[in-house]
Amino acid sequence: MPSRYAGTVTHYVDSEVGQLGTVLLHRPGPELARLTPRNNDSLLFDGIPWVGRAQEEHDIFAHALRSRGVTVLYLADLLTDVLALEPARKELTEAVLADVRLGDSLRRLVAQHLADLDPTDLATALMAGIAHEELHTGSGLVYGMMDRHDFVIDPLPNLLFTRDSSLWIRDHAAVTSLAMPARARETTLTQAIYRFHPRFARTPLVYQPGLEHLEGGDVLLLAPGVVAVGVGERTTAAGAERLARRLFERRLAHSVLVVPIAQDRATMHLDTVCTMVDVDAVVMYPKVADSLVAYTVTAGDGYGEPLIAGPAPFLQAAAAAMGLETLRIIDTGLDPVTAEREQWDDGNNTLAIAPRLCVAYERNVETNAQLERAGIEVIRIPGSELGSGRGGPRCMSCPITRT
């Protein structure tokens, strides 16, 4: 298959702050234009973004990464590549047709419609969905009873947040198991890319869809061999345990810190309250800094049944597992009011390009100033429209190589 990404490539990530080499992004596209006041809640968006401006902001984000030597891969390009391969096309089409809401008659019509699309148009249909009015061959009971504003295939506006559907731990990819039904199909696309694309040939998977719920925004690679997993609204304790067991079995980690977090929209994932900006420094929401705890799960002798200790204060447990005396804490905001506002605006959701160098939304003025006073260089990007889905630079990026 001709591919812009052909060739053998080594992928490896073992920290949050190593020099970023390659990253997977998704430039917002027509799937974002599907959001309306009628469906934005069910599709997990707080607002209706201005798509053109969101694309401009995302292009600025990608340019900022490239300007620091980072290779940017786009999910849509990779997906188009794999849809030129019959096994991938068959797998992804069957995943859509498995939707029990379709019924037999409509399923046959959708199958024919998808079969007639070339790889580029099929990729668009899988990401942006197919609206009722766009299926011109639609007929039958199910189709006739649908509202004209309904979707025959649902759009995936949250593809923007590539961190959630996959992450890398050393040379293994983990395709996650998303909790929300509106997002579950994202992982079928990501998994097909890792399974079928020549760039990722023979990549071992340490986690797959269908296992216990686990989302990438809850997973932090604190240091080589040390992984933190938030448990809350999206990731379950069973998901954290399953990941720990699999990491231990493959010798990918020696310690997994399982961190209970509040189950509300403002603290959806662990990376909404804490991200790393240096090998020994985190930017952290002060409201939870003293109350966050962790259970430390270790491999045990001979990497047998995991051992569990705690709970203990998260920052202490993390420092101990990382072999540090203490972690430096950089507070979100300057006071409780600005901290709460800037945490909601993804002030904690920074993306480290290298130690002491991160990308952050420009609107979080106080948090960015705090970072710079602590010796962290901040690359500011606009996020007025990108942030409408409640996610910052870390959420929008899946690192594939770090050194």
PDB file of all heavy atoms in Angstrom, residues 193-209:
ATOM      1  N   ILE A 193      -5.986   1.340  13.208  1.00  0.00           N
ATOM      2  CA  ILE A 193      -4.754   2.028  12.789  1.00  0.00           C
ATOM      3  C   ILE A 193      -3.531   1.288  13.330  1.00  0.00           C
ATOM      4  O   ILE A 193      -2.565   1.020  12.595  1.00  0.00           O
ATOM      5  CB  ILE A 193      -4.780   3.487  13.253  1.00  0.00           C
ATOM      6  CG1 ILE A 193      -5.788   4.295  12.423  1.00  0.00           C
ATOM      7  CG2 ILE A 193      -3.390   4.118  13.164  1.00  0.00           C
ATOM      8  CD1 ILE A 193      -6.089   5.673  12.970  1.00  0.00           C
ATOM      9  N   TYR A 194      -3.554   0.932  14.603  1.00  0.00           N
ATOM     10  CA  TYR A 194      -2.403   0.257  15.193  1.00  0.00           C
ATOM     11  C   TYR A 194      -2.242  -1.167  14.662  1.00  0.00           C
ATOM     12  O   TYR A 194      -1.129  -1.697  14.587  1.00  0.00           O
ATOM     13  CB  TYR A 194      -2.519   0.231  16.719  1.00  0.00           C
ATOM     14  CG  TYR A 194      -2.336   1.587  17.363  1.00  0.00           C
ATOM     15  CD1 TYR A 194      -3.055   1.941  18.503  1.00  0.00           C
ATOM     16  CD2 TYR A 194      -1.445   2.517  16.840  1.00  0.00           C
ATOM     17  CE1 TYR A 194      -2.884   3.179  19.098  1.00  0.00           C
ATOM     18  CE2 TYR A 194      -1.281   3.754  17.423  1.00  0.00           C
ATOM     19  CZ  TYR A 194      -2.004   4.089  18.557  1.00  0.00           C
ATOM     20  OH  TYR A 194      -1.843   5.313  19.144  1.00  0.00           O
ATOM     21  N   ARG A 195      -3.335  -1.807  14.300  1.00  0.00           N
ATOM     22  CA  ARG A 195      -3.252  -3.190  13.818  1.00  0.00           C
ATOM     23  C   ARG A 195      -2.863  -3.281  12.345  1.00  0.00           C
ATOM     24  O   ARG A 195      -2.151  -4.209  11.949  1.00  0.00           O
ATOM     25  CB  ARG A 195      -4.600  -3.895  14.025  1.00  0.00           C
ATOM     26  CG  ARG A 195      -4.921  -4.205  15.478  1.00  0.00           C
ATOM     27  CD  ARG A 195      -6.203  -5.006  15.595  1.00  0.00           C
ATOM     28  NE  ARG A 195      -6.064  -6.285  14.903  1.00  0.00           N
ATOM     29  CZ  ARG A 195      -6.979  -6.788  14.077  1.00  0.00           C
ATOM     30  NH1 ARG A 195      -8.077  -6.111  13.805  1.00  0.00           N
ATOM     31  NH2 ARG A 195      -6.794  -7.957  13.512  1.00  0.00           N
ATOM     32  N   PHE A 196      -3.319  -2.323  11.528  1.00  0.00           N
ATOM     33  CA  PHE A 196      -3.173  -2.496  10.088  1.00  0.00           C
ATOM     34  C   PHE A 196      -2.211  -1.528   9.409  1.00  0.00           C
ATOM     35  O   PHE A 196      -1.756  -1.806   8.300  1.00  0.00           O
ATOM     36  CB  PHE A 196      -4.543  -2.384   9.403  1.00  0.00           C
ATOM     37  CG  PHE A 196      -5.499  -3.475   9.774  1.00  0.00           C
ATOM     38  CD1 PHE A 196      -6.572  -3.227  10.621  1.00  0.00           C
ATOM     39  CD2 PHE A 196      -5.337  -4.760   9.285  1.00  0.00           C
ATOM     40  CE1 PHE A 196      -7.466  -4.223  10.962  1.00  0.00           C
ATOM     41  CE2 PHE A 196      -6.227  -5.773   9.631  1.00  0.00           C
ATOM     42  CZ  PHE A 196      -7.294  -5.498  10.469  1.00  0.00           C
ATOM     43  N   HIS A 197      -1.922  -0.397  10.020  1.00  0.00           N
ATOM     44  CA  HIS A 197      -1.086   0.580   9.316  1.00  0.00           C
ATOM     45  C   HIS A 197       0.375   0.117   9.284  1.00  0.00           C
ATOM     46  O   HIS A 197       0.917  -0.334  10.303  1.00  0.00           O
ATOM     47  CB  HIS A 197      -1.171   1.957   9.983  1.00  0.00           C
ATOM     48  CG  HIS A 197      -0.736   3.061   9.080  1.00  0.00           C
ATOM     49  ND1 HIS A 197       0.579   3.313   8.788  1.00  0.00           N
ATOM     50  CD2 HIS A 197      -1.459   3.963   8.368  1.00  0.00           C
ATOM     51  CE1 HIS A 197       0.656   4.335   7.953  1.00  0.00           C
ATOM     52  NE2 HIS A 197      -0.567   4.740   7.677  1.00  0.00           N
ATOM     53  N   PRO A 198       1.047   0.251   8.122  1.00  0.00           N
ATOM     54  CA  PRO A 198       2.448  -0.198   8.030  1.00  0.00           C
ATOM     55  C   PRO A 198       3.356   0.455   9.056  1.00  0.00           C
ATOM     56  O   PRO A 198       4.324  -0.172   9.512  1.00  0.00           O
ATOM     57  CB  PRO A 198       2.853   0.197   6.604  1.00  0.00           C
ATOM     58  CG  PRO A 198       1.580   0.268   5.845  1.00  0.00           C
ATOM     59  CD  PRO A 198       0.532   0.728   6.825  1.00  0.00           C
ATOM     60  N   ARG A 199       3.081   1.683   9.421  1.00  0.00           N
ATOM     61  CA  ARG A 199       3.939   2.354  10.393  1.00  0.00           C
ATOM     62  C   ARG A 199       3.944   1.621  11.728  1.00  0.00           C
ATOM     63  O   ARG A 199       4.944   1.647  12.459  1.00  0.00           O
ATOM     64  CB  ARG A 199       3.472   3.801  10.595  1.00  0.00           C
ATOM     65  CG  ARG A 199       4.360   4.554  11.572  1.00  0.00           C
ATOM     66  CD  ARG A 199       3.864   5.946  11.898  1.00  0.00           C
ATOM     67  NE  ARG A 199       4.785   6.565  12.841  1.00  0.00           N
ATOM     68  CZ  ARG A 199       5.701   7.448  12.530  1.00  0.00           C
ATOM     69  NH1 ARG A 199       5.836   7.845  11.281  1.00  0.00           N
ATOM     70  NH2 ARG A 199       6.500   7.945  13.452  1.00  0.00           N
ATOM     71  N   PHE A 200       2.839   0.986  12.077  1.00  0.00           N
ATOM     72  CA  PHE A 200       2.708   0.358  13.386  1.00  0.00           C
ATOM     73  C   PHE A 200       2.722  -1.173  13.299  1.00  0.00           C
ATOM     74  O   PHE A 200       2.245  -1.848  14.212  1.00  0.00           O
ATOM     75  CB  PHE A 200       1.417   0.831  14.060  1.00  0.00           C
ATOM     76  CG  PHE A 200       1.351   2.320  14.209  1.00  0.00           C
ATOM     77  CD1 PHE A 200       0.508   3.075  13.399  1.00  0.00           C
ATOM     78  CD2 PHE A 200       2.138   2.969  15.132  1.00  0.00           C
ATOM     79  CE1 PHE A 200       0.451   4.452  13.515  1.00  0.00           C
ATOM     80  CE2 PHE A 200       2.089   4.358  15.252  1.00  0.00           C
ATOM     81  CZ  PHE A 200       1.253   5.097  14.438  1.00  0.00           C
ATOM     82  N   ALA A 201       3.258  -1.683  12.212  1.00  0.00           N
ATOM     83  CA  ALA A 201       3.297  -3.137  12.029  1.00  0.00           C
ATOM     84  C   ALA A 201       3.976  -3.817  13.226  1.00  0.00           C
ATOM     85  O   ALA A 201       5.022  -3.379  13.696  1.00  0.00           O
ATOM     86  CB  ALA A 201       4.048  -3.481  10.745  1.00  0.00           C
ATOM     87  N   ARG A 202       3.322  -4.839  13.717  1.00  0.00           N
ATOM     88  CA  ARG A 202       3.834  -5.667  14.823  1.00  0.00           C
ATOM     89  C   ARG A 202       3.887  -4.934  16.155  1.00  0.00           C
ATOM     90  O   ARG A 202       4.579  -5.360  17.077  1.00  0.00           O
ATOM     91  CB  ARG A 202       5.206  -6.268  14.477  1.00  0.00           C
ATOM     92  CG  ARG A 202       5.157  -7.230  13.287  1.00  0.00           C
ATOM     93  CD  ARG A 202       6.529  -7.781  12.946  1.00  0.00           C
ATOM     94  NE  ARG A 202       7.445  -6.715  12.509  1.00  0.00           N
ATOM     95  CZ  ARG A 202       7.440  -6.210  11.287  1.00  0.00           C
ATOM     96  NH1 ARG A 202       6.587  -6.651  10.381  1.00  0.00           N
ATOM     97  NH2 ARG A 202       8.291  -5.262  10.938  1.00  0.00           N
ATOM     98  N   THR A 203       3.184  -3.824  16.268  1.00  0.00           N
ATOM     99  CA  THR A 203       3.110  -3.142  17.567  1.00  0.00           C
ATOM    100  C   THR A 203       2.309  -3.992  18.550  1.00  0.00           C
ATOM    101  O   THR A 203       1.156  -4.337  18.273  1.00  0.00           O
ATOM    102  CB  THR A 203       2.430  -1.767  17.427  1.00  0.00           C
ATOM    103  OG1 THR A 203       3.275  -0.907  16.667  1.00  0.00           O
ATOM    104  CG2 THR A 203       2.182  -1.138  18.795  1.00  0.00           C
ATOM    105  N   PRO A 204       2.885  -4.347  19.695  1.00  0.00           N
ATOM    106  CA  PRO A 204       2.111  -5.123  20.673  1.00  0.00           C
ATOM    107  C   PRO A 204       1.108  -4.222  21.403  1.00  0.00           C
ATOM    108  O   PRO A 204       1.409  -3.058  21.713  1.00  0.00           O
ATOM    109  CB  PRO A 204       3.180  -5.650  21.637  1.00  0.00           C
ATOM    110  CG  PRO A 204       4.326  -4.697  21.508  1.00  0.00           C
ATOM    111  CD  PRO A 204       4.288  -4.153  20.112  1.00  0.00           C
ATOM    112  N   LEU A 205      -0.079  -4.737  21.660  1.00  0.00           N
ATOM    113  CA  LEU A 205      -1.113  -4.010  22.391  1.00  0.00           C
ATOM    114  C   LEU A 205      -1.183  -4.539  23.813  1.00  0.00           C
ATOM    115  O   LEU A 205      -1.332  -5.746  24.028  1.00  0.00           O
ATOM    116  CB  LEU A 205      -2.472  -4.165  21.712  1.00  0.00           C
ATOM    117  CG  LEU A 205      -2.608  -3.616  20.289  1.00  0.00           C
ATOM    118  CD1 LEU A 205      -4.021  -3.837  19.768  1.00  0.00           C
ATOM    119  CD2 LEU A 205      -2.253  -2.133  20.243  1.00  0.00           C
ATOM    120  N   VAL A 206      -1.106  -3.651  24.775  1.00  0.00           N
ATOM    121  CA  VAL A 206      -1.166  -4.046  26.167  1.00  0.00           C
ATOM    122  C   VAL A 206      -2.570  -3.872  26.742  1.00  0.00           C
ATOM    123  O   VAL A 206      -2.863  -4.333  27.848  1.00  0.00           O
ATOM    124  CB  VAL A 206      -0.124  -3.266  27.007  1.00  0.00           C
ATOM    125  CG1 VAL A 206      -0.519  -1.801  27.161  1.00  0.00           C
ATOM    126  CG2 VAL A 206       0.100  -3.911  28.368  1.00  0.00           C
ATOM    127  N   TYR A 207      -3.439  -3.224  26.000  1.00  0.00           N
ATOM    128  CA  TYR A 207      -4.843  -3.051  26.425  1.00  0.00           C
ATOM    129  C   TYR A 207      -5.699  -2.951  25.172  1.00  0.00           C
ATOM    130  O   TYR A 207      -5.218  -2.510  24.123  1.00  0.00           O
ATOM    131  CB  TYR A 207      -5.005  -1.787  27.278  1.00  0.00           C
ATOM    132  CG  TYR A 207      -6.057  -1.902  28.351  1.00  0.00           C
ATOM    133  CD1 TYR A 207      -5.750  -2.443  29.584  1.00  0.00           C
ATOM    134  CD2 TYR A 207      -7.378  -1.490  28.130  1.00  0.00           C
ATOM    135  CE1 TYR A 207      -6.716  -2.569  30.577  1.00  0.00           C
ATOM    136  CE2 TYR A 207      -8.343  -1.605  29.120  1.00  0.00           C
ATOM    137  CZ  TYR A 207      -8.010  -2.152  30.341  1.00  0.00           C
ATOM    138  OH  TYR A 207      -8.963  -2.287  31.325  1.00  0.00           O
ATOM    139  N   GLN A 208      -6.974  -3.395  25.276  1.00  0.00           N
ATOM    140  CA  GLN A 208      -7.861  -3.382  24.121  1.00  0.00           C
ATOM    141  C   GLN A 208      -9.270  -2.978  24.534  1.00  0.00           C
ATOM    142  O   GLN A 208      -9.658  -3.143  25.702  1.00  0.00           O
ATOM    143  CB  GLN A 208      -7.932  -4.771  23.459  1.00  0.00           C
ATOM    144  CG  GLN A 208      -6.658  -5.284  22.846  1.00  0.00           C
ATOM    145  CD  GLN A 208      -5.814  -6.058  23.839  1.00  0.00           C
ATOM    146  OE1 GLN A 208      -6.332  -6.651  24.775  1.00  0.00           O
ATOM    147  NE2 GLN A 208      -4.505  -6.040  23.642  1.00  0.00           N
ATOM    148  N   PRO A 209     -10.052  -2.472  23.575  1.00  0.00           N
ATOM    149  CA  PRO A 209     -11.471  -2.220  23.842  1.00  0.00           C
ATOM    150  C   PRO A 209     -12.172  -3.509  24.267  1.00  0.00           C
ATOM    151  O   PRO A 209     -11.795  -4.604  23.855  1.00  0.00           O
ATOM    152  CB  PRO A 209     -12.005  -1.738  22.484  1.00  0.00           C
ATOM    153  CG  PRO A 209     -10.807  -1.255  21.745  1.00  0.00           C
ATOM    154  CD  PRO A 209      -9.658  -2.107  22.202  1.00  0.00           C
TER     155      PRO A 209
END
